[in-house]
Amino acid sequence: MKEMMKRFRYIIVLAWVTGIVSACTDLDTKMNNQWSVDDTWTNAEKAQGVLLSVYQDVLTVPDAWDGNFLDAATDNAMTRVYDSSVYRAGQGGFSRTNNPLGNWSACYDQLQRIHTFLDNGLTDEIRYSISSDEIDQAYKKRLRGEAIFLRAWCSFNLLRMYGGKTDNGQVLGYPIVTHYITPEEAAHPESFSRDSYEDCVKQICYDCDEAMALLPLTYSGGDAILGDQAFGRASGLSAAALKVRTLLYAASPAYQPDNIVRLNGMGDYTVLDETAYQAKWERAANYADEVLAMSGMTNYSALVPKNLYDGGDDQSTEFLFRTFMGRNHGLEQRHYPPFYFGNAQTTPSQNLADAFPAKNGFPITDARSLYDETFPYDCQRDNRFNVNLYYQGRQFGANSSYIDVTPGGKDSGYMNVNATRTGYYLAKFMNTVADFLKPLEEQDSRHYNPMLRKAEVWLNFAEASNEAFGPKVVGPGCTKSAYDVIKTIREKSGGITDVTYLDEMAASKETFRTLIQNERRIEFAFENQRFWDLRRWLLPLNEPIYGMKVTRDSSGDDEFEVVKVEDRPLNDVRYYYMPLPYLEVQKNPNLINNKGW
């Protein structure tokens, strides 16, 4: 565990960059504009900078994988950047020596900084208020809560990436670290081993509970410590939402030992201990219900797309933990169609397009949806269809032009080698202002990346409640059913008021599970959740990527044909789990690798 085992010593640079101080790891070489370690832990701004440097690392842009969304490694999308990490991941480019998505070193680096701050940044030697002991202690309480939340966040990222079954049927997580790793400890990597998945879950939940006890549920008002100016930092609600997510993952079939859930093959598993399995779902459902009763969580609101790309100073209360990317146009440059001066790096798939139901609630595979494959975009669709996709004939934002992917069309591969191969372009996160990237007149907007949303807590509850109690049953201690929640989400997010299909799917836990999985897919498209949802539910990973080929006949009418664009050779159960870093396993024989690795 190279990064975890090395000693991290930080020099805090005087200059602040976008509100976050820089840090480096060599205290032996000092430049004129750097402070010593003693200065750091007696100066409030510099001390807080160590914690802010962790924020800087964990608060990423939504397309953080070499300028691509993680959805491009799933059946939701594809990338044309063939040397990117997501392309390699989508092509099964994992091995014992390489994980293109690996975050082991980064997460343990972050944990070292967090523990450095907890040890040194909250002592009596440092004052966050010179004039008032009470204000100083209030600052320290909040900062400790933030640090504990960030520890839970980094730990969950390790668990999500590396947690999994082993060849002997155990389910393991990561080596839990709750203190600064000294050089003496680092010299003995064999003293570390992977903790059980459940122990990792308990530690993350414990940290979330402690963070909630130290932090306000939300930041509001004019208070210097707990007011609006602190909005965007970790809050009580962000800690609660992270705990709900952690418990949901812990109940998922991929993360049960062989005596509870047996993995038979790709997309195939058998529950062997129904009582133990259901108990984990009940735990997740009951806690999610508690969170939904908290102030600010009781009412469901649909995502406002503009809040993602032009939120301005009015921050969305839907975002419980989010990245603020400042005013820029980088996302648009990476994902706009080439005609509008973008690079179209991540493009949605026909697979995703087909997942959006008709406005009457029926999937487009059902004749009652009134979907006509010869006129695929004439059918009234779920509101989220247009939130996510630009397609043939759709007006591009506020421009006076329309998407044209027919041969010779301005948005086709005939006109630009960087054009979409799927017939779709990304709409989510993209600014809709006309001529946004016009050369020499580029415009900027304030982008946000919601990493925890209120909607996720609602959908997490629905999933857990369905598994624990069934679709329409209000579980013991709960206030609503899975059916109630999905009905609300489909109405408010999708604009679907007809419950005929919803009632049909609520006939059994199994059919309602399929519906919930699809609701998650379309609600969180391009929010980088599909990759993990496929794995924790042991769903097929090798679905080919399809696109829409559009041609124009002699009469000038468009003709549509669904075509296969790319294969996904993820046809082995080992792809449900990520390999541990090879060098760490070589150094430490106690690090048992995941199944198949």
Side-chain angles (χ1 to χ4, degrees):
M1 290 172 285
K2 182 176 181 182
E3 291 300 324
M4 185 179 77
M5 298 302 181
K6 67 183 287 191
R7 180 175 182 135
F8 289 88
R9 297 172 297 172
Y10 288 90
I11 304 168
I12 306 305
V13 182
L14 282 172
W16 287 65
V17 182
T18 63
I20 309 250
V21 291
S22 302
C24 73
T25 56
D26 184 8
L27 277 177
D28 299 322
T29 303
K30 297 178 184 177
M31 299 179 65
N32 290 334
N33 68 337
Q34 293 176 330
W35 289 53
S36 71
V37 66
D38 292 333
D39 293 325
T40 296
W41 301 121
T42 57
N43 182 282
E45 285 190 346
K46 310 312 164 192
Q48 190 175 174
V50 175
L51 191 63
L52 292 176
S53 74
V54 179
Y55 272 112
Q56 185 180 42
D57 285 350
V58 304
L59 294 175
T60 58
V61 295
D63 59 341
W65 292 266
D66 303 315
N68 292 275
F69 292 81
L70 188 55
D71 287 49
T74 76
D75 51 1
N76 273 2
M78 63 177 293
T79 177
R80 63 167 189 78
V81 185
Y82 300 121
D83 61 349
S84 65
S85 57
V86 292
Y87 180 77
R88 295 195 299 274
Q91 292 299 310
F94 301 94
S95 71
R96 291 182 178 87
T97 58
N98 181 51
N99 175 359
L101 306 177
N103 62 357
W104 183 280
S105 295
C107 287
Y108 279 114
D109 174 28
Q110 292 153 12
L111 289 171
Q112 283 286 75
R113 277 180 277 161
I114 290 166
H115 293 137
T116 300
F117 176 80
L118 287 171
D119 289 345
N120 300 285
L122 303 173
T123 69
D124 292 339
E125 300 299 316
I126 189 166
R127 298 277 298 189
Y128 293 91
S129 172
I130 302 299
S131 60
S132 167
D133 289 341
E134 183 179 359
I135 294 176
D136 177 62
Q137 290 304 310
Y139 264 114
K140 288 175 178 174
K141 179 181 178 182
R142 191 197 75 194
L143 291 171
R144 177 174 176 80
E146 292 178 61
I148 296 297
F149 169 82
L150 289 171
R151 183 168 73 186
W153 180 264
C154 297
S155 298
F156 175 79
N157 285 339
L158 279 169
L159 184 63
R160 181 169 62 178
M161 180 66 69
Y162 297 106
K165 278 183 184 282
T166 63
D167 286 331
N168 64 7
Q170 300 180 79
V171 182
L172 301 180
Y174 58 93
I176 296 173
V177 176
T178 57
H179 68 277
Y180 179 83
I181 302 300
T182 66
E184 292 73 23
E185 290 175 292
H188 296 282
E190 71 280 359
S191 64
F192 295 86
S193 60
R194 294 177 71 187
D195 289 279
S196 72
Y197 194 98
E198 181 62 21
D199 282 347
C200 293
V201 167
K202 289 177 180 177
Q203 179 61 49
I204 294 168
C205 291
Y206 179 85
D207 281 346
C208 288
D209 287 339
E210 184 176 354
M212 287 181 64
L214 295 167
L215 296 169
L217 278 182
T218 58
Y219 295 97
S220 61
D223 185 87
I225 305 170
L226 306 178
D228 288 332
Q229 68 179 25
F231 194 95
R233 292 174 177 261
S235 67
L237 282 184
S238 55
L242 178 59
K243 181 176 176 179
V244 173
R245 180 188 285 183
T246 302
L247 292 175
L248 187 83
Y249 274 61
S252 301
Y255 306 123
Q256 310 307 315
D258 278 359
N259 64 311
I260 297 178
V261 175
R262 182 181 65 224
L263 175 54
N264 304 318
M266 294 296 291
D268 182 17
Y269 65 91
T270 302
V271 177
L272 300 178
D273 188 338
E274 189 67 45
T275 300
Y277 185 56
Q278 184 169 322
K280 293 188 178 182
W281 287 113
E282 290 179 8
R283 178 178 65 174
N286 288 332
Y287 184 69
D289 188 75
E290 285 183 35
V291 176
L292 291 179
M294 294 178 180
S295 177
M297 295 295 296
T298 55
N299 294 317
Y300 182 89
S301 298
L303 175 72
V304 178
K306 191 173 182 180
N307 286 338
L308 296 175
Y309 61 78
D310 197 15
D313 294 326
D314 295 328
Q315 312 213 32
S316 173
T317 58
E318 164 69 7
F319 304 160
L320 300 178
F321 191 54
R322 88 289 180 274
T323 304
F324 162 53
M325 289 172 275
R327 299 193 64 82
N328 60 68
H329 50 256
L331 278 168
E332 289 78 13
Q333 282 185 324
R334 293 189 289 274
H335 305 293
Y336 262 17
F339 181 82
Y340 301 95
F341 308 106
N343 289 318
Q345 291 182 190
T346 293
T347 51
S349 65
Q350 185 64 42
N351 313 52
L352 176 61
D354 289 346
F356 294 92
K359 208 57 165 288
N360 61 15
F362 291 99
I364 64 170
T365 53
D366 191 309
R368 292 173 292 179
S369 69
L370 305 181
Y371 177 80
D372 183 347
E373 62 183 16
T374 61
F375 300 100
Y377 308 124
D378 288 354
C379 175
Q380 290 293 309
R381 302 289 282 274
D382 182 299
N383 291 342
R384 290 166 288 189
F385 187 74
N386 278 350
V387 169
N388 285 278
L389 308 174
Y390 281 114
Y391 46 85
Q392 175 68 11
R394 184 183 175 191
Q395 184 176 357
F396 187 75
N399 293 274
S400 58
S401 52
Y402 297 78
I403 295 294
D404 185 1
V405 296
T406 60
K410 65 179 180 59
D411 302 302
S412 70
Y414 288 78
M415 299 300 291
N416 193 298
V417 69
N418 293 335
T420 177
R421 293 171 58 208
T422 65
Y424 295 93
Y425 287 101
L426 181 63
K428 199 169 188 177
F429 290 99
M430 300 297 108
N431 197 296
T432 60
V433 170
D435 298 322
F436 187 71
L437 294 181
K438 185 177 180 180
L440 305 181
E441 298 178 19
E442 295 99 333
Q443 302 172 71
D444 294 321
S445 66
R446 180 172 290 178
H447 292 81
Y448 290 91
N449 175 25
M451 301 166 77
L452 286 169
R453 284 211 279 133
K454 291 180 182 179
E456 184 187 343
V457 180
W458 282 73
L459 276 160
N460 289 351
F461 169 80
E463 181 181 325
S465 181
N466 179 61
E467 297 300 321
F469 314 118
K472 290 191 172 183
V473 177
V474 177
C478 295
T479 57
K480 55 182 72 66
S481 69
Y483 176 94
D484 297 331
V485 167
I486 297 301
K487 179 177 181 292
T488 297
I489 291 172
R490 282 166 68 88
E491 179 178 345
K492 292 191 175 182
S493 287
I496 298 171
T497 57
D498 190 321
V499 298
T500 305
Y501 181 73
L502 185 65
D503 288 338
E504 291 176 4
M505 296 298 282
S508 73
K509 178 188 297 186
E510 290 71 27
T511 53
F512 210 65
R513 176 190 305 146
T514 300
L515 179 62
I516 290 171
Q517 289 170 348
N518 194 68
E519 284 296 314
R520 289 183 66 89
R521 180 180 191 176
I522 60 180
E523 180 65 35
F524 302 126
F526 303 102
E527 295 181 41
N528 305 311
Q529 297 214 38
R530 177 72 172 169
F531 184 89
W532 306 109
D533 283 351
L534 288 170
R535 282 160 174 78
R536 67 184 182 84
W537 266 111
L538 301 171
L539 294 172
L541 302 177
N542 58 350
E543 294 290 329
I545 301 303
Y546 291 93
M548 182 67 81
K549 180 181 179 181
V550 188
T551 55
R552 191 158 290 153
D553 65 19
S554 58
S555 302
D557 295 325
D558 289 344
E559 295 182 335
F560 300 89
E561 178 188 2
V562 175
V563 296
K564 186 167 74 171
V565 178
E566 184 175 280
D567 284 315
R568 292 290 166 83
L570 298 160
N571 53 2
D572 191 290
V573 294
R574 67 177 180 167
Y575 293 118
Y576 287 126
Y577 310 107
M578 301 292 106
L580 271 64
Y582 177 76
L583 292 179
E584 306 302 333
V585 176
Q586 288 295 101
K587 287 188 303 184
N588 184 357
N590 292 329
L591 291 181
I592 301 171
N593 218 327
N594 282 328
K595 189 177 183 67
W597 300 110

